[in-house]
Amino acid sequence: MRAPALVGVLLLLLPAAATGRSAAGPVVVLDPGHDLRANPATEPIGPGSSTRKIKDGGGTRGVVSGLTEATLNLRVALRLRPLLERAGLRVVMTRTRTAGTSMGNVARARIANRAGAALFLRIHADGSTDRSVRGTHTLYPALRRGWTDDVYAESRRAARLVQRELVRALGFPDRGLRERSDFTGFNWADVPAILVEMGFMTNPTDDRLLATSAYQRRAALGLCRGALRFLGRSPIACR
Ligand SMILES: [Zn+2]
């Protein structure tokens, strides 16, 4: 009788002890943009809105690498997750595979809201019809009463800190910050939310570099350092 009870206690203790993770750490929700397939269904761009937008146009693709944006976004997110966990944070992913129809942006925001995320970090790469356009930028929700007023200031602060660290880590041109009022995933978020555009997959230089594991690690490190700074922790913990 005694032995099984002891085994049960040990099993309960083991996961936390083995990973050194605190169950009470803040939650970062990582949202690797897109999925295997686009989602042409529509959804309201904000709570109660009659304006609807497509759930997911599908993202861009590497002009040299041939990599889909969905794949790149996930690779960076999967490198970032253990960095954040080792730094004592809890991580929730909106997806861990590139295997289905994209869930849409209301669903992504709801995952972040339900998790009570300290930061909803959306990972993307950009595309342009102009192949010469390159560099890193970060988007955050524009101020709109009833939708984003509760998360506007903190999202902007997160965007500034993460953009700075991401540019430093990648060494790409700094395209700065941009407010967006038309992003469904921002308007539904009840937690601080940002969306990084790591680089342009339609630019041969950005694409070639982002397709390498070395630059995917650089991106993950930059995102980790920015997230930790936002959460008031030392970025040195990102290793
Ligand atoms: Zn995207």
Side-chain angles (χ1 to χ4, degrees), residues 33-34 56 58-60 69 73 123-126 195 197:
H34 314 289
D56 190 340
T60 187
E69 187 200 332
N73 297 340
I123 300 171
H124 284 250
D126 218 340
L195 188 153
E197 298 279 11

Side-chain angles (χ1 to χ4, degrees), residues 52-70:
R52 301 179 71 88
K53 248 176 77 176
I54 189 168
K55 285 191 173 183
D56 190 340
T60 187
R61 177 184 285 270
V63 72
V64 178
S65 69
L67 211 61
T68 67
E69 187 200 332

Side-chain angles (χ1 to χ4, degrees), residues 61-67 131 200-209 211:
R61 177 184 285 270
V63 72
V64 178
S65 69
L67 211 61
R131 284 190 174 206
F200 280 76
M201 297 183 82
T202 44
N203 174 267
T205 304
D206 282 7
D207 177 41
R208 200 175 281 124
L209 293 174

Side-chain angles (χ1 to χ4, degrees), residues 57-223:
T60 187
R61 177 184 285 270
V63 72
V64 178
S65 69
L67 211 61
T68 67
E69 187 200 332
T71 301
L72 173 65
N73 297 340
L74 181 62
R75 283 188 188 167
V76 172
L78 289 174
R79 281 181 175 273
L80 175 55
R81 176 168 63 178
L83 296 179
L84 294 171
E85 287 177 344
R86 280 200 293 271
L89 305 179
R90 286 181 291 157
V91 174
V92 171
M93 310 266 299
T94 59
R95 66 181 178 96
T96 54
R97 299 189 309 153
T98 302
T101 300
S102 182
M103 71 182 82
N105 294 304
V106 175
R108 291 173 194 267
R110 283 196 170 131
I111 290 172
N113 295 344
R114 264 190 228 117
L119 180 62
F120 177 29
L121 176 49
R122 315 182 62 196
I123 300 171
H124 284 250
D126 218 340
S128 169
T129 51
D130 180 351
R131 284 190 174 206
S132 71
V133 175
R134 62 171 302 222
T136 303
H137 57 138
T138 298
L139 315 175
Y140 63 96
L143 181 59
R144 167 145 179 185
R145 194 158 300 162
W147 283 359
T148 62
D149 44 356
D150 50 343
V151 300
Y152 172 75
E154 282 293 271
S155 298
R156 188 177 52 179
R157 190 172 70 82
R160 199 184 303 126
L161 293 168
V162 170
Q163 169 72 9
R164 195 168 70 199
E165 291 293 344
L166 186 55
V167 166
R168 197 174 281 169
L170 284 174
F172 291 1
D174 185 352
R175 301 181 64 85
L177 307 180
R178 214 150 307 165
E179 290 192 0
R180 294 296 293 253
S181 59
D182 59 329
F183 273 26
T184 307
F186 284 164
N187 293 333
W188 285 86
D190 297 324
V191 295
I194 63 171
L195 188 153
V196 295
E197 298 279 11
M198 298 179 285
F200 280 76
M201 297 183 82
T202 44
N203 174 267
T205 304
D206 282 7
D207 177 41
R208 200 175 281 124
L209 293 174
L210 284 172
T212 66
S213 57
Y215 271 76
Q216 288 159 17
R217 173 161 172 83
R218 283 188 186 209
L221 277 169
L223 294 172

